[in-house]
Amino acid sequence: GQQLNQSPQSMFIQEGEDVSMNCTSSSIFNTWLWYKQDPGEGPVLLIALYKAGELTSNGRLTAQFGITRKDSFLNISASIPSDVGIYFCAAQNSGGSNYKLTFGKGTLLTVNP
Amino acid sequence: GAGVSQTPSNKVTEKGKYVELRCDPISGHTALYWYRQSLGQGPEFLIYFQGTGAADDSGLPNDRFFAVRPEGSVSTLKIQRTERGDSAVYLCASSADRNTEAFFGQGTRLTVV
């Protein structure tokens, strides 16, 4: 089936540093999304991207939908301790199965105060 | 309630037993989804309901897994003859319709011993 390759698997950074993570696929997708999951909780949507080349910000978070439609990245600026968690990319096709989310394996972010 | 509610939060069962996992979606949401998240992985799609009917059950791993949504609201995921490999977090999500944002519950952590 379709797979998303997410990297890095984990990151350990100091508070205040910027973070970047990305996701690639061999298939084209029409929507890219980024989620955050805290321990014992379900994923929460951070940013959704709907057009190739789109660059969208949500506070300190910025994400881009690659022009090839096969990749996306997420940047977090000036990290703070509450940014700790697992970040997942996800993608959707258009058409009949557009409800189905395909997820990457996640990036575990640790922020050292 | 305000969000998607899943019960129980944790379930430990013996190999070979039958289990039921419950999902209460956000009121008024017609679309409901089940995903399975194994340790260190992203969620994987299991089944999608539109109203009372299972519109796509292509993600169910085998015929030991079954899900229902008889009144178009609460859904139950049923697993027969559980195996140790079924151990995972089972996530439920709902959305107003198939084209809008899906909101996840906190998940049920199933452990088969």
Side-chain angles (χ1 to χ4, degrees), chain A residues 8-96:
Chain A
Q9 276 189 312
S10 62
M11 302 184 74
F12 188 93
I13 62 171
Q14 295 295 121
E15 183 176 359
E17 290 183 347
D18 298 343
V19 170
S20 184
M21 57 193 79
N22 70 84
C23 210
T24 61
S25 172
S26 58
S27 304
I28 289 174
F29 287 97
N30 292 288
T31 301
W32 283 87
L33 309 105
W34 286 91
Y35 288 84
K36 179 174 185 256
Q37 187 174 29
D38 292 327
E41 301 294 328
V44 174
L45 182 64
L46 300 173
I47 292 180
L49 303 153
Y50 301 105
K51 288 176 59 175
E54 179 182 354
L55 184 71
T56 297
S57 292
N58 178 7
R60 293 178 297 104
L61 277 59
T62 301
Q64 185 157 30
F65 188 151
I67 58 172
T68 65
R69 293 195 284 157
K70 293 183 178 182
D71 64 308
S72 177
F73 72 74
L74 174 71
N75 286 341
I76 306 173
S77 63
S79 59
I80 59 178
S82 63
D83 291 334
V84 165
I86 304 177
Y87 292 79
F88 289 98
C89 62
Q92 291 174 303
N93 288 314
S94 62

Coordinates of all heavy atoms in Angstrom, one line a residue, chain A residues 8-96:
Chain A
P8 N 13.2 13.3 10.8 CA 13.9 12.1 11.4 C 12.9 11.4 12.3 O 11.8 11.8 12.5 CB 15.0 12.9 12.3 CG 14.3 14.1 12.6 CD 13.5 14.5 11.4
Q9 N 13.4 10.2 12.8 CA 12.6 9.4 13.7 C 12.4 10.1 15.0 O 11.4 10.0 15.7 CB 13.2 8.0 13.9 CG 12.9 7.0 12.9 CD 13.4 5.6 13.3 OE1 14.5 5.5 13.7 NE2 12.5 4.6 13.1
S10 N 13.5 10.7 15.5 CA 13.5 11.4 16.8 C 14.4 12.6 16.7 O 15.4 12.6 15.9 CB 13.8 10.5 17.9 OG 15.1 10.0 17.7
M11 N 14.1 13.6 17.6 CA 15.0 14.8 17.7 C 15.0 15.2 19.2 O 14.0 15.1 19.9 CB 14.4 15.9 16.9 CG 14.3 15.7 15.4 SD 13.7 17.1 14.6 CE 15.2 18.1 14.6
F12 N 16.2 15.6 19.6 CA 16.4 16.1 21.0 C 17.1 17.4 20.8 O 18.2 17.6 20.4 CB 17.3 15.1 21.7 CG 17.4 15.4 23.2 CD1 16.6 14.8 24.1 CD2 18.4 16.4 23.7 CE1 16.7 15.2 25.5 CE2 18.4 16.7 25.0 CZ 17.6 16.1 25.9
I13 N 16.3 18.5 21.2 CA 16.8 19.8 21.0 C 16.7 20.6 22.3 O 16.1 20.2 23.3 CB 16.0 20.5 19.9 CG1 14.5 20.7 20.3 CG2 16.1 19.8 18.6 CD1 13.7 21.5 19.4
Q14 N 17.4 21.8 22.3 CA 17.3 22.7 23.4 C 16.1 23.7 23.2 O 15.8 24.1 22.0 CB 18.6 23.5 23.5 CG 19.8 22.7 23.8 CD 19.7 22.1 25.2 OE1 19.8 20.9 25.4 NE2 19.6 22.9 26.2
E15 N 15.5 24.1 24.3 CA 14.5 25.1 24.2 C 15.0 26.3 23.4 O 16.1 26.8 23.6 CB 14.1 25.5 25.6 CG 12.9 26.5 25.6 CD 12.5 26.8 27.1 OE1 13.0 26.2 28.0 OE2 11.5 27.6 27.2
G16 N 14.1 26.9 22.6 CA 14.5 28.0 21.8 C 15.0 27.7 20.4 O 15.0 28.6 19.5
E17 N 15.4 26.5 20.2 CA 15.9 26.1 18.8 C 14.8 25.9 17.9 O 13.6 25.6 18.3 CB 16.7 24.8 18.9 CG 18.1 25.0 19.6 CD 18.9 23.7 19.6 OE1 18.3 22.6 19.3 OE2 20.1 23.8 20.0
D18 N 15.1 26.0 16.6 CA 14.1 25.7 15.5 C 14.2 24.2 15.2 O 15.3 23.6 15.3 CB 14.4 26.5 14.3 CG 14.2 28.0 14.6 OD1 13.6 28.4 15.6 OD2 14.7 28.8 13.7
V19 N 13.1 23.7 14.7 CA 13.0 22.2 14.3 C 12.5 22.1 12.9 O 11.6 22.9 12.5 CB 12.1 21.5 15.3 CG1 11.8 20.1 14.9 CG2 12.7 21.5 16.7
S20 N 13.0 21.1 12.2 CA 12.4 20.8 10.9 C 12.3 19.3 10.7 O 13.2 18.6 11.1 CB 13.3 21.4 9.8 OG 12.7 21.2 8.5
M21 N 11.1 18.9 10.2 CA 10.9 17.5 9.9 C 10.2 17.4 8.5 O 9.6 18.4 8.1 CB 10.1 16.8 11.0 CG 8.8 17.4 11.3 SD 8.0 16.8 12.8 CE 8.9 17.8 14.0
N22 N 10.4 16.2 7.9 CA 9.7 16.1 6.6 C 9.2 14.8 6.3 O 9.5 13.8 7.0 CB 10.7 16.6 5.5 CG 11.8 15.5 5.3 OD1 11.7 14.6 4.6 ND2 12.9 15.8 6.0
C23 N 8.5 14.7 5.2 CA 7.7 13.5 4.9 C 7.8 13.4 3.3 O 7.5 14.4 2.6 CB 6.3 13.7 5.3 SG 5.5 12.1 5.8
T24 N 8.1 12.2 2.8 CA 8.1 12.0 1.4 C 7.3 10.7 1.0 O 7.1 9.8 1.9 CB 9.6 11.8 0.9 OG1 10.2 10.6 1.5 CG2 10.4 13.0 1.2
S25 N 6.9 10.7 -0.2 CA 6.2 9.5 -0.7 C 6.5 9.2 -2.1 O 6.9 10.1 -2.9 CB 4.7 9.8 -0.6 OG 3.9 8.8 -1.2
S26 N 6.4 8.0 -2.6 CA 6.5 7.7 -4.0 C 5.3 7.9 -4.8 O 5.3 7.9 -6.0 CB 6.9 6.2 -4.1 OG 6.0 5.4 -3.5
S27 N 4.2 8.2 -4.0 CA 2.9 8.5 -4.7 C 2.5 9.9 -4.5 O 2.9 10.6 -3.6 CB 1.8 7.6 -4.1 OG 2.1 6.2 -4.1
I28 N 1.7 10.4 -5.4 CA 1.1 11.7 -5.4 C -0.1 11.8 -4.4 O -0.9 10.9 -4.5 CB 0.7 12.2 -6.8 CG1 2.0 12.5 -7.6 CG2 -0.1 13.5 -6.7 CD1 1.6 12.8 -9.1
F29 N -0.1 12.8 -3.6 CA -1.3 13.0 -2.7 C -1.8 14.4 -3.0 O -1.1 15.3 -3.4 CB -0.9 12.9 -1.3 CG -0.7 11.4 -0.9 CD1 0.6 10.9 -0.8 CD2 -1.7 10.6 -0.5 CE1 0.8 9.6 -0.4 CE2 -1.5 9.3 -0.2 CZ -0.2 8.8 -0.1
N30 N -3.1 14.6 -2.7 CA -3.8 15.9 -2.9 C -4.0 16.7 -1.7 O -4.3 17.9 -1.8 CB -5.1 15.7 -3.6 CG -4.9 15.1 -5.0 OD1 -4.6 15.9 -5.9 ND2 -5.2 13.9 -5.2
T31 N -3.7 16.1 -0.5 CA -3.8 16.9 0.8 C -2.7 16.3 1.7 O -2.6 15.1 1.8 CB -5.2 16.7 1.4 OG1 -6.2 17.1 0.6 CG2 -5.3 17.5 2.7
W32 N -2.0 17.3 2.3 CA -1.0 16.9 3.3 C -1.4 17.5 4.6 O -1.9 18.6 4.7 CB 0.4 17.4 2.9 CG 1.0 16.5 1.9 CD1 0.9 16.7 0.5 CD2 1.9 15.4 2.0 NE1 1.6 15.7 -0.1 CE2 2.3 14.9 0.8 CE3 2.4 14.8 3.2 CZ2 3.1 13.9 0.6 CZ3 3.2 13.7 3.0 CH2 3.6 13.2 1.7
L33 N -1.3 16.7 5.7 CA -1.6 17.2 7.0 C -0.5 16.9 8.0 O 0.2 15.9 7.8 CB -2.9 16.6 7.5 CG -4.1 16.6 6.5 CD1 -4.3 15.3 5.9 CD2 -5.4 17.1 7.2
W34 N -0.5 17.7 9.1 CA 0.5 17.5 10.1 C -0.3 17.4 11.5 O -1.1 18.3 11.7 CB 1.5 18.6 10.2 CG 2.5 18.4 9.1 CD1 2.5 19.0 7.9 CD2 3.7 17.6 9.1 NE1 3.6 18.6 7.1 CE2 4.4 17.8 7.9 CE3 4.3 16.8 10.1 CZ2 5.6 17.1 7.5 CZ3 5.5 16.2 9.8 CH2 6.1 16.3 8.5
Y35 N 0.0 16.3 12.2 CA -0.7 16.1 13.5 C 0.4 16.1 14.6 O 1.5 15.7 14.4 CB -1.4 14.8 13.5 CG -2.7 14.7 12.7 CD1 -2.6 14.4 11.3 CD2 -3.9 14.9 13.3 CE1 -3.8 14.4 10.6 CE2 -5.1 14.8 12.5 CZ -5.0 14.5 11.2 OH -6.1 14.5 10.4
K36 N -0.1 16.3 15.9 CA 0.7 16.1 17.1 C -0.1 15.2 18.0 O -1.3 15.3 18.2 CB 1.0 17.5 17.8 CG 1.8 17.3 19.1 CD 2.1 18.7 19.6 CE 3.1 18.5 20.8 NZ 2.4 18.7 22.1
Q37 N 0.7 14.2 18.6 CA 0.1 13.3 19.5 C 0.8 13.3 20.8 O 2.0 13.1 20.9 CB 0.1 11.9 18.9 CG -0.7 10.9 19.8 CD -0.7 9.5 19.1 OE1 0.1 9.1 18.3 NE2 -1.8 8.8 19.4
D38 N 0.1 13.6 21.9 CA 0.6 13.6 23.2 C 0.4 12.2 23.8 O -0.5 11.5 23.4 CB 0.0 14.6 24.1 CG 0.4 16.1 23.7 OD1 1.5 16.2 23.2 OD2 -0.4 17.0 23.8
P39 N 1.2 11.8 24.8 CA 1.0 10.4 25.4 C -0.4 10.2 25.9 O -1.0 11.1 26.6 CB 2.0 10.4 26.6 CG 3.0 11.4 26.2 CD 2.3 12.5 25.4
G40 N -1.0 9.1 25.5 CA -2.4 8.7 26.0 C -3.5 9.5 25.3 O -4.6 9.4 25.7
E41 N -3.1 10.2 24.2 CA -4.2 11.0 23.5 C -4.2 10.6 22.0 O -3.2 10.0 21.5 CB -3.9 12.5 23.6 CG -3.8 13.0 25.1 CD -5.2 13.0 25.7 OE1 -6.2 13.1 25.0 OE2 -5.2 12.8 27.0
G42 N -5.2 11.0 21.4 CA -5.3 10.8 19.9 C -4.5 12.0 19.2 O -4.2 13.0 19.8
P43 N -4.3 11.8 17.9 CA -3.6 12.9 17.2 C -4.5 14.1 17.0 O -5.7 14.0 16.9 CB -3.4 12.2 15.8 CG -3.5 10.8 16.0 CD -4.5 10.6 17.1
V44 N -3.9 15.3 17.1 CA -4.6 16.5 16.9 C -4.0 17.3 15.7 O -2.8 17.4 15.6 CB -4.4 17.4 18.2 CG1 -5.0 18.8 18.0 CG2 -5.0 16.8 19.4
L45 N -4.9 17.7 14.9 CA -4.5 18.4 13.6 C -3.9 19.7 13.9 O -4.4 20.5 14.7 CB -5.7 18.6 12.7 CG -5.4 19.2 11.4 CD1 -4.5 18.3 10.5 CD2 -6.7 19.5 10.6
L46 N -2.7 19.9 13.3 CA -2.0 21.2 13.5 C -2.1 22.1 12.2 O -2.5 23.3 12.3 CB -0.5 21.0 13.7 CG 0.0 20.1 14.9 CD1 1.4 19.8 14.8 CD2 -0.4 20.9 16.2
I47 N -1.9 21.5 11.1 CA -1.9 22.3 9.8 C -2.4 21.3 8.7 O -2.0 20.2 8.7 CB -0.5 22.8 9.4 CG1 -0.1 23.9 10.4 CG2 -0.5 23.4 8.0 CD1 1.3 24.5 10.1
A48 N -3.2 21.9 7.8 CA -3.7 21.1 6.6 C -3.3 21.9 5.4 O -3.4 23.2 5.4 CB -5.2 20.9 6.7
L49 N -2.8 21.2 4.4 CA -2.3 21.8 3.1 C -3.1 21.2 2.0 O -3.1 20.0 1.8 CB -0.8 21.6 3.0 CG 0.0 22.1 4.1 CD1 1.3 21.3 4.2 CD2 0.4 23.6 3.9
Y50 N -3.6 22.1 1.1 CA -4.5 21.6 0.0 C -4.0 21.8 -1.4 O -4.7 21.3 -2.3 CB -5.9 22.2 0.2 CG -6.5 21.9 1.5 CD1 -6.6 22.9 2.5 CD2 -7.1 20.7 1.8 CE1 -7.1 22.7 3.8 CE2 -7.6 20.4 3.1 CZ -7.7 21.4 4.0 OH -8.2 21.2 5.3
K51 N -3.0 22.6 -1.6 CA -2.5 22.9 -2.9 C -1.0 22.8 -3.0 O -0.3 23.2 -2.1 CB -2.9 24.4 -3.3 CG -4.4 24.6 -3.5 CD -4.6 26.1 -3.8 CE -3.9 26.6 -5.0 NZ -4.2 28.0 -5.3
A52 N -0.5 22.2 -4.1 CA 0.9 22.1 -4.3 C 1.6 23.4 -4.3 O 1.1 24.4 -4.8 CB 1.2 21.4 -5.7
G53 N 2.7 23.5 -3.5 CA 3.4 24.7 -3.3 C 2.9 25.6 -2.2 O 3.6 26.5 -1.7
E54 N 1.8 25.2 -1.6 CA 1.2 26.0 -0.5 C 2.1 26.0 0.7 O 2.6 25.0 1.1 CB -0.2 25.4 -0.1 CG -0.9 26.1 1.0 CD -2.3 25.5 1.3 OE1 -2.7 24.5 0.6 OE2 -2.9 25.9 2.3
L55 N 2.2 27.2 1.3 CA 3.0 27.4 2.5 C 2.0 28.0 3.5 O 1.4 29.0 3.3 CB 4.1 28.4 2.3 CG 5.1 28.6 3.5 CD1 5.9 27.4 3.7 CD2 6.0 29.8 3.2
T56 N 1.8 27.3 4.7 CA 0.8 27.7 5.7 C 1.5 27.8 7.0 O 2.3 27.0 7.4 CB -0.3 26.8 5.7 OG1 -1.0 26.8 4.4 CG2 -1.4 27.1 6.7
S57 N 1.1 28.8 7.8 CA 1.6 29.0 9.2 C 0.5 28.9 10.2 O -0.7 29.3 9.9 CB 2.3 30.3 9.3 OG 3.5 30.3 8.6
N58 N 0.8 28.4 11.4 CA -0.1 28.4 12.5 C 0.7 28.7 13.7 O 1.4 27.8 14.3 CB -0.7 27.0 12.6 CG -1.6 26.9 13.8 OD1 -1.9 27.9 14.5 ND2 -2.1 25.7 14.0
G59 N 0.8 30.0 14.1 CA 1.7 30.4 15.2 C 3.1 30.2 14.8 O 3.6 30.6 13.8
R60 N 3.8 29.4 15.7 CA 5.2 29.1 15.4 C 5.5 27.9 14.5 O 6.6 27.6 14.2 CB 5.9 28.8 16.8 CG 6.0 29.9 17.8 CD 6.6 29.5 19.1 NE 5.8 28.5 19.8 CZ 6.1 27.3 19.9 NH1 7.3 26.8 19.3 NH2 5.4 26.4 20.5
L61 N 4.4 27.4 14.0 CA 4.5 26.3 13.0 C 4.3 26.8 11.6 O 3.4 27.6 11.3 CB 3.4 25.2 13.3 CG 3.7 24.2 14.4 CD1 3.9 24.8 15.8 CD2 2.5 23.2 14.5
T62 N 5.1 26.2 10.7 CA 5.0 26.5 9.3 C 5.1 25.2 8.5 O 6.0 24.4 8.8 CB 6.1 27.5 8.8 OG1 6.0 28.7 9.5 CG2 5.9 27.7 7.3
A63 N 4.3 25.0 7.6 CA 4.3 23.7 6.8 C 4.2 24.1 5.3 O 3.6 25.1 4.9 CB 3.2 22.8 7.2
Q64 N 4.8 23.2 4.5 CA 4.7 23.4 3.0 C 4.3 22.1 2.3 O 4.7 21.0 2.7 CB 6.0 23.9 2.4 CG 5.8 24.3 0.9 CD 6.8 25.3 0.4 OE1 7.9 25.4 1.0 NE2 6.5 26.0 -0.6
F65 N 3.5 22.2 1.3 CA 3.1 21.2 0.4 C 4.0 21.2 -0.8 O 4.0 22.2 -1.5 CB 1.6 21.4 0.0 CG 0.9 20.4 -0.8 CD1 -0.5 20.3 -0.6 CD2 1.5 19.5 -1.6 CE1 -1.2 19.3 -1.4 CE2 0.9 18.5 -2.3 CZ -0.5 18.5 -2.2
G66 N 4.8 20.2 -1.0 CA 5.8 20.2 -2.1 C 5.2 20.3 -3.4 O 4.0 19.8 -3.7
I67 N 5.9 20.9 -4.4 CA 5.3 21.2 -5.7 C 5.1 19.9 -6.5 O 4.3 19.8 -7.4 CB 6.2 22.2 -6.5 CG1 7.6 21.7 -6.6 CG2 6.1 23.5 -5.9 CD1 8.4 22.5 -7.6
T68 N 5.9 18.8 -6.1 CA 5.7 17.5 -6.8 C 4.5 16.8 -6.3 O 4.1 15.7 -6.8 CB 6.9 16.7 -6.6 OG1 7.1 16.3 -5.3 CG2 8.2 17.4 -7.1
R69 N 3.9 17.3 -5.2 CA 2.8 16.6 -4.4 C 3.2 15.3 -3.8 O 2.4 14.5 -3.4 CB 1.6 16.4 -5.3 CG 0.9 17.7 -5.7 CD -0.4 17.5 -6.3 NE -0.4 17.0 -7.7 CZ -1.4 16.3 -8.2 NH1 -2.5 16.1 -7.5 NH2 -1.3 15.9 -9.4
K70 N 4.6 15.1 -3.7 CA 5.0 13.9 -3.1 C 5.8 14.1 -1.7 O 6.4 13.2 -1.2 CB 6.0 13.2 -4.0 CG 5.3 12.6 -5.3 CD 6.3 11.9 -6.1 CE 5.7 11.3 -7.4 NZ 6.6 10.5 -8.2
D71 N 5.7 15.4 -1.3 CA 6.4 15.6 0.0 C 5.9 16.8 0.7 O 5.2 17.7 0.1 CB 7.9 15.8 -0.3 CG 8.2 17.0 -1.1 OD1 7.6 17.1 -2.2 OD2 9.0 17.8 -0.7
S72 N 6.2 16.9 2.0 CA 5.8 18.1 2.8 C 6.8 18.2 3.9 O 7.5 17.2 4.3 CB 4.4 17.8 3.4 OG 4.0 18.9 4.2
F73 N 7.0 19.4 4.4 CA 7.8 19.6 5.6 C 7.1 20.4 6.7 O 6.1 21.2 6.3 CB 9.2 20.3 5.3 CG 9.1 21.7 4.9 CD1 8.9 22.7 5.9 CD2 9.3 22.1 3.6 CE1 8.9 24.0 5.5 CE2 9.2 23.4 3.2 CZ 9.0 24.4 4.2
L74 N 7.5 20.3 7.9 CA 7.0 21.1 9.0 C 8.1 21.7 9.8 O 9.1 21.0 10.1 CB 6.2 20.2 10.0 CG 5.7 20.9 11.3 CD1 4.6 21.9 11.0 CD2 5.2 19.8 12.3
N75 N 8.1 23.0 10.0 CA 9.1 23.7 10.8 C 8.4 24.2 12.1 O 7.3 24.7 12.0 CB 9.6 24.9 10.0 CG 10.6 24.5 9.0 OD1 11.1 23.4 9.0 ND2 10.8 25.3 8.0
I76 N 9.1 24.1 13.2 CA 8.7 24.7 14.4 C 9.8 25.7 14.9 O 11.0 25.3 15.0 CB 8.5 23.7 15.5 CG1 7.5 22.6 15.1 CG2 8.0 24.3 16.8 CD1 7.4 21.4 16.1
S77 N 9.4 26.9 15.1 CA 10.4 27.9 15.4 C 10.4 28.2 16.9 O 9.3 28.0 17.6 CB 10.1 29.2 14.7 OG 8.9 29.8 15.1
A78 N 11.5 28.5 17.5 CA 11.7 28.9 18.9 C 10.9 27.9 19.8 O 10.0 28.2 20.5 CB 11.1 30.3 19.1
S79 N 11.4 26.6 19.8 CA 10.7 25.6 20.5 C 10.6 25.9 22.0 O 11.5 26.5 22.6 CB 11.4 24.3 20.3 OG 12.8 24.4 20.7
I80 N 9.5 25.3 22.6 CA 9.2 25.5 24.0 C 9.0 24.1 24.6 O 8.7 23.1 23.8 CB 8.1 26.4 24.3 CG1 6.8 25.9 23.6 CG2 8.4 27.8 23.8 CD1 5.6 26.8 23.8
P81 N 9.1 23.9 25.9 CA 8.9 22.5 26.4 C 7.6 21.8 26.0 O 7.5 20.6 25.9 CB 9.0 22.8 27.9 CG 9.9 23.9 28.1 CD 9.6 24.8 26.9
S82 N 6.5 22.6 25.9 CA 5.2 22.0 25.6 C 5.1 21.5 24.1 O 4.1 20.9 23.7 CB 4.1 22.9 25.9 OG 4.2 24.1 25.0
D83 N 6.2 21.7 23.3 CA 6.2 21.2 22.0 C 6.6 19.7 22.0 O 6.4 19.0 20.9 CB 7.3 21.9 21.1 CG 6.9 23.4 20.8 OD1 5.6 23.6 20.8 OD2 7.8 24.2 20.6
V84 N 7.0 19.2 23.1 CA 7.3 17.8 23.2 C 6.1 16.9 22.8 O 5.0 17.2 23.2 CB 7.7 17.4 24.7 CG1 7.7 15.9 24.9 CG2 9.1 18.0 25.0
G85 N 6.4 15.9 22.0 CA 5.4 15.0 21.6 C 5.8 14.2 20.3 O 6.9 14.4 19.9
I86 N 4.9 13.5 19.7 CA 5.1 12.8 18.5 C 4.4 13.6 17.4 O 3.2 13.8 17.5 CB 4.7 11.4 18.5 CG1 5.4 10.6 19.7 CG2 5.1 10.7 17.2 CD1 4.9 9.2 19.8
Y87 N 5.1 13.9 16.3 CA 4.5 14.6 15.2 C 4.4 13.7 14.0 O 5.3 13.0 13.7 CB 5.4 15.8 14.8 CG 5.4 16.9 15.8 CD1 6.2 16.8 17.0 CD2 4.6 18.0 15.7 CE1 6.1 17.8 18.0 CE2 4.6 19.0 16.6 CZ 5.3 18.9 17.8 OH 5.3 19.9 18.8
F88 N 3.2 13.6 13.4 CA 2.9 12.8 12.3 C 2.5 13.6 11.1 O 1.7 14.5 11.2 CB 1.7 11.8 12.6 CG 2.0 10.8 13.6 CD1 1.6 11.0 15.0 CD2 2.6 9.6 13.3 CE1 1.9 10.0 15.9 CE2 2.9 8.6 14.2 CZ 2.5 8.8 15.5
C89 N 3.1 13.2 10.0 CA 2.5 13.7 8.7 C 1.5 12.7 8.3 O 1.5 11.5 8.7 CB 3.6 13.8 7.6 SG 4.4 12.2 7.2
A90 N 0.5 13.2 7.5 CA -0.5 12.3 6.9 C -0.9 12.9 5.6 O -0.7 14.1 5.3 CB -1.7 12.3 7.9
A91 N -1.5 12.1 4.8 CA -1.8 12.5 3.4 C -3.1 11.8 3.0 O -3.5 10.8 3.5 CB -0.7 12.2 2.4
Q92 N -3.8 12.5 2.0 CA -5.1 12.0 1.5 C -5.0 12.1 0.0 O -4.5 13.1 -0.6 CB -6.3 12.8 2.0 CG -6.5 12.6 3.5 CD -7.6 13.5 4.0 OE1 -7.5 14.7 3.9 NE2 -8.7 13.0 4.5
N93 N -5.7 11.2 -0.7 CA -5.9 11.3 -2.1 C -7.2 12.1 -2.4 O -8.0 12.3 -1.4 CB -6.1 9.9 -2.7 CG -4.8 9.1 -2.7 OD1 -3.8 9.7 -3.1 ND2 -4.8 7.9 -2.3
S94 N -7.5 12.4 -3.6 CA -8.7 12.9 -4.0 C -9.6 11.8 -4.5 O -9.2 10.6 -4.5 CB -8.6 14.0 -5.1 OG -8.1 13.3 -6.3
G95 N -10.9 12.1 -4.7 CA -11.7 11.1 -5.3 C -12.4 10.2 -4.3 O -12.6 10.6 -3.2
G96 N -12.7 9.0 -4.7 CA -13.5 8.1 -3.9 C -13.0 7.7 -2.5 O -13.8 7.5 -1.6

